[in-house]
């Protein structure tokens, strides 16, 4: 087993974080300072979707999304406010940012410089893994080639200028959320790392004798599911493969450079809306997967909150998750022992099985031309959609037990949910208005000439092979906004729409009696209406979490619908246009970002204005009960939330909705 970390690192508590940020830089700053006062030892910044996808708060596409899933950062002034009173030279800051990672790192450096800090002493991480954005999370902007250039430039820059910074955090977390098996999670993460390291090596920006320093600054961000024994073995397999890969492919001889350094957030997809109190024990068990094995222990851990399937957690909920880590690290004897699993025949056998499977899948990706080619061809995305479909099939059939969902469903009333309106945090709608006004005021108050010069330099550099970090730093210092920086690069690089993976995916397993019955209802209803039923699945707004929409599309197709699915990040007008052009019978909207009260009514208005009053709309997402009532009052036919886990049952309800909209009898005529 390779030497994973120095003894003092393995024998002291890991960096403890909570993933946080919402509403505004000032409110997020107050939250960070409270969390640090409670014993949190690092920061993990959540940015809102406009920031992640390169839009200012007053952009049309930002409507309904500002401050919802994270903090809006539109310029260096926002970054100042976000870290006000927090000593950046003594902080380990993780930023979950990808397409615009170079921009956010430049803003962070600019603020550190204003504080008088030595940039070379800044410690932290930018996620900066664009491959997994194409596969699962959806906050990509540019095509793969230019995106890889941005990553390469950041890696080359930080190795010299910010040697304690991790410029990329290869992220398998969202791959598991998108359906990846442990073998796929390992293989696709390693394939991403190969693509990045090859790109840096081939760019010629880092001399060969310093390439070990590049490898040493590549970190990973993994997922840990509730099958915690298998997940622990997965981490040991990761450690073994990374040591092999960096030594054999890149010739890194220093064992310290080959350490597998990773942080983790335990699984959020497995958190349930039904009996959410059970999520606490799920989170604890998942944490054990990445802390029990000393030789493969996480360097940083952040835990979700028990109520994330209901909505945005409150500060108290985040405190509970922090306390779970602190009890394990400070009250138990976990850190007093050598690795508990060394010599275990069972563990060694499972690790060997995972390593063998991952090697084979890595080889398959390399045969396709590497991770970028496997994204562009749709291979990896199709594999993930199919794997998630199979996972859902097992859950729906009861083959995989989920306590409180498909077994042991009887329950006492939950006092934590006595007042649903206060069981989660709600972002004030005034946040978006304030952010729009603030960015307009910022533009009006700044000096225009430095902004013009900085953007011109960025534009010129984008047309060459010059490292873009210097031009980006000039933009940050001049007061350029997130949308302006991204806009120049959109002009230079173009935009991209990744394959959805739906066409190649199957629903998994044979159709059961329930699916066959729904399929017959779909056929018969279509016959009554004069043609095959057409179901438009839409993802409005900037929300890129497409797993649910893809699974709905796959199951709808298996149920006999003709499915129209155009991928993520559509405006309400584009969804309405597709409904008109495709002459659909029903529209399904998937919204997970909290913007449902803005984007769904916009689609409803558009359909009415287009004369499609008879086309019903159903909505799925993390939608509190009160919001669901409001949506139904505005005309939504059905609202589905995570507790509605039976996709075939959902398909049956969609048929009911179509029949009701056309005044058809509840009973479907028997086949001729």
């Amino acid at each position: 087993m390779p030497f994973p970390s120095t003894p003092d690192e393995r024998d002291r508590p890991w960096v403890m974080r909570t993933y946080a940020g919402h509403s505004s830089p000032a409110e997020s700053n107050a939250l960070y300072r409270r969390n640090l006062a409670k014993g949190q030892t690092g920061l993990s910044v959540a940015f809102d979707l406009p920031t992640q996808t390169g839009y200012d708060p007053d952009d049309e596409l930002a409507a309904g999304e500002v401050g919802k899933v994270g903090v809006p950062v539109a310029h260096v002034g926002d970054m100042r406010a976000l870290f006000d009173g927090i000593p950046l030279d003594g902080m380990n800051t993780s930023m979950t940012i990808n397409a615009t990672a170079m921009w956010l790192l430049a803003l962070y450096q600019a603020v550190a410089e204003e504080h008088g800090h030595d940039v070379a002493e800044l410690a932290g991480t930018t996620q900066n893994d664009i491959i997994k954005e194409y596969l699962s999370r959806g906050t990509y902007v540019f095509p793969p080639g230019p995106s890889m250039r941005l990553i390469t430039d950041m890696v080359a820059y930080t190795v010299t200028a910010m040697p304690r910074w991790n410029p990329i955090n290869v992220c398998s977390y969202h791959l598991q959320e998108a359906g990846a098996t442990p073998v796929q999670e390992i293989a696709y993460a390693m394939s991403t790392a190969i693509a990045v390291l090859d790109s840096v090596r081939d760019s010629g920006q880092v001399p060969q004798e310093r390439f070990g320093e590049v490898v040493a600054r590549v970190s990973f961000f993994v997922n840990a599911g509730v099958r915690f024994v298998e997940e622990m073995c997965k981490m040991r397999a990761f450690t073994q493969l990374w040591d092999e890969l960096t030594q054999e492919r890149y010739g890194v001889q220093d064992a310290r450079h080959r350490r597998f350094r990773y942080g983790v957030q335990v699984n959020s997809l497995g958190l349930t809306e039904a009996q959410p109190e059970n999520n606490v024990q799920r989170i604890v068990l998942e944490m054990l997967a990445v802390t029990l094995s000393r030789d493969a222990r996480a360097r940083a851990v952040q835990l979700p909150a028990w109520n994330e399937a209901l909505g945005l957690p409150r500060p108290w909920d985040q405190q509970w998750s922090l306390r779970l880590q602190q009890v394990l690290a400070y009250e138990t004897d976990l850190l007093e022992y050598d690795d508990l699993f060394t010599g275990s025949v069972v563990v060694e056998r499972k690790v060997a099985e995972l390593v063998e499977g991952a090697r084979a899948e890595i080889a398959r990706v390399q045969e396709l031309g590497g991770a970028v080619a496997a994204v562009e061809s749709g291979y990896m995305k199709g594999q993930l959609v199919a794997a998630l479909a199979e996972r859902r099939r097992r859950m729906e059939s009861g083959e995989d037990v989920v306590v409180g969902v498909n077994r042991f469903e009887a329950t006492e009333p939950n006092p934590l949910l006595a007042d649903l309106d206060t069981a989660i945090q709600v972002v004030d709608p005034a946040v978006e208005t304030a952010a729009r006004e603030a960015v307009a005021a910022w533009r009006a108050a700044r000096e225009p000439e430095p902004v013009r010069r900085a953007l011109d330099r960025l534009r010129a550099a984008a047309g060459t092979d010059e490292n873009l970090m210097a031009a980006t730093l000039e933009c940050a210092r001049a007061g350029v906004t997130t949308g302006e920086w991204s806009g120049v690069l959109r002009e230079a690089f173009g935009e991209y729409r990744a394959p959805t993976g739906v066409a190649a995916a199957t629903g998994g397993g044979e159709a059961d009696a329930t699916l066959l019955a729904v399929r017959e209802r779909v056929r018969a209803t279509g016959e009554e209406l004069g043609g095959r039923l057409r179901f438009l699945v839409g993802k409005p707004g900037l929300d890129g979490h497409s797993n649910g929409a893809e699974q709905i599309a796959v199951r709808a197709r298996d149920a006999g619908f003709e499915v129209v699915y155009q991928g993520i990040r559509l405006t309400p007008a584009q969804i309405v246009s597709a409904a008109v052009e495709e002459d659909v019978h029903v529209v399904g909207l998937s919204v997970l970002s909290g913007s449902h009260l803005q984007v769904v009514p916009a689609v409803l208005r558009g359909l009415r204005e287009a004369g499609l009053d008879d086309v019903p709309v159903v909505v799925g997402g993390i939608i509190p009960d009160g919001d669901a009532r409001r949506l139904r009052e505005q005309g939504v036919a059905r609202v589905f939330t995570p507790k509605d886990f039976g996709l075939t049952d959902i398909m049956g309800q969609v048929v009911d909705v179509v029949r009701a909209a056309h005044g058809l009898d509840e009973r479907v005529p028997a086949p001729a």
Side-chain angles (χ1 to χ4, degrees), residues 44-121:
S44 181
V45 182
F47 296 99
D48 73 354
L49 288 172
T51 304
Q52 293 184 49
T53 51
Y55 295 105
D56 288 336
D58 56 355
D59 192 285
E60 176 190 4
L61 285 169
E65 306 283 11
V66 177
K68 288 284 173 58
V69 302
V71 58
V73 175
H75 46 72
V76 70
D78 284 344
M79 192 65 90
R80 284 186 201 118
L82 185 62
F83 291 104
D84 181 43
I86 297 174
L88 298 186
D89 57 347
M91 187 53 53
N92 190 305
T93 303
S94 172
M95 294 193 283
T96 301
I97 197 73
N98 295 278
T100 56
M102 179 179 284
W103 174 242
L104 272 298
L105 180 61
L107 294 177
Y108 190 82
Q109 177 175 332
V111 170
E113 290 169 344
E114 292 175 356
H115 291 178
H117 300 320
D118 181 355
V119 171
E121 293 302 310

Side-chain angles (χ1 to χ4, degrees), residues 2-6 159 163 197 208-220 242-243 245-247 250-261 299:
F3 188 53
S5 54
T6 59
V159 164
L197 290 174
Q208 180 58 39
E209 62 270 19
R210 298 196 65 183
F211 203 74
E213 297 171 49
V214 172
V215 170
R217 300 322 303 170
V218 175
S219 62
F220 288 75
W242 183 243
D243 186 73
L245 172 70
T246 53
Q247 185 169 19
Y250 302 107
V252 178
Q253 297 305 309
D254 190 332
R256 292 171 300 175
H257 290 161
R258 300 198 309 268
R259 292 172 189 157
F260 183 75
R261 299 175 310 111
R299 296 274 294 271

Side-chain angles (χ1 to χ4, degrees), residues 187-188 191 360-374 379-380:
Y188 297 162
S191 297
E361 188 62 13
I362 292 168
R364 193 169 297 115
V365 171
Q366 295 308 303
E367 288 169 4
L368 292 171
V372 171
Y379 169 74
M380 287 199 290

Side-chain angles (χ1 to χ4, degrees), residues 249-311:
R249 188 179 182 99
Y250 302 107
V252 178
Q253 297 305 309
D254 190 332
R256 292 171 300 175
H257 290 161
R258 300 198 309 268
R259 292 172 189 157
F260 183 75
R261 299 175 310 111
Y262 78 96
V264 64
Q265 172 158 320
V266 305
N267 188 283
S268 291
L269 185 66
L271 303 182
T272 64
E273 180 185 8
Q275 297 183 28
E277 64 275 12
N278 295 331
N279 293 331
V280 176
Q281 49 264 36
R282 291 186 179 106
I283 291 167
V284 171
L285 291 170
E286 290 162 353
M287 178 170 52
L288 292 179
V290 294
T291 54
L292 274 178
S293 174
R294 182 175 182 268
D295 289 342
R297 184 169 292 151
R299 296 274 294 271
V301 177
Q302 59 192 47
L303 303 181
W306 68 278
N307 56 350
E308 282 196 13
L310 303 174

Side-chain angles (χ1 to χ4, degrees), residues 8-58:
D8 60 316
E9 288 171 337
R10 292 185 295 180
D11 298 334
R12 68 184 182 215
W14 49 90
V15 176
M16 299 183 190
R17 300 182 175 124
T18 53
Y19 182 50
H22 67 88
S23 300
S24 70
E27 289 197 43
S28 297
N29 172 265
L31 176 62
Y32 296 161
R33 294 168 77 164
R34 290 198 304 271
N35 285 346
L36 291 169
K38 295 171 185 173
Q40 187 172 300
T41 54
L43 293 176
S44 181
V45 182
F47 296 99
D48 73 354
L49 288 172
T51 304
Q52 293 184 49
T53 51
Y55 295 105
D56 288 336
D58 56 355

Side-chain angles (χ1 to χ4, degrees), residues 143-218:
S147 295
M148 290 298 291
R149 174 189 173 180
L150 291 171
I151 295 170
T152 300
D153 286 355
M154 280 184 66
V155 173
Y157 172 79
T158 55
V159 164
T160 300
M162 301 173 70
R164 298 185 62 204
W165 194 269
N166 301 317
I168 180 169
N169 197 217
V170 178
C171 182
S172 70
Y173 174 86
H174 296 94
L175 300 181
Q176 187 181 123
E177 300 271 287
T181 64
V183 163
Q184 289 171 329
E185 185 181 344
I186 297 168
Y188 297 162
M190 289 294 175
S191 297
T192 296
I194 290 170
V196 171
L197 290 174
D198 283 1
S199 180
V200 174
R201 179 194 61 196
D202 297 345
S203 75
Q205 296 189 63
V206 180
Q208 180 58 39
E209 62 270 19
R210 298 196 65 183
F211 203 74
E213 297 171 49
V214 172
V215 170
R217 300 322 303 170
V218 175

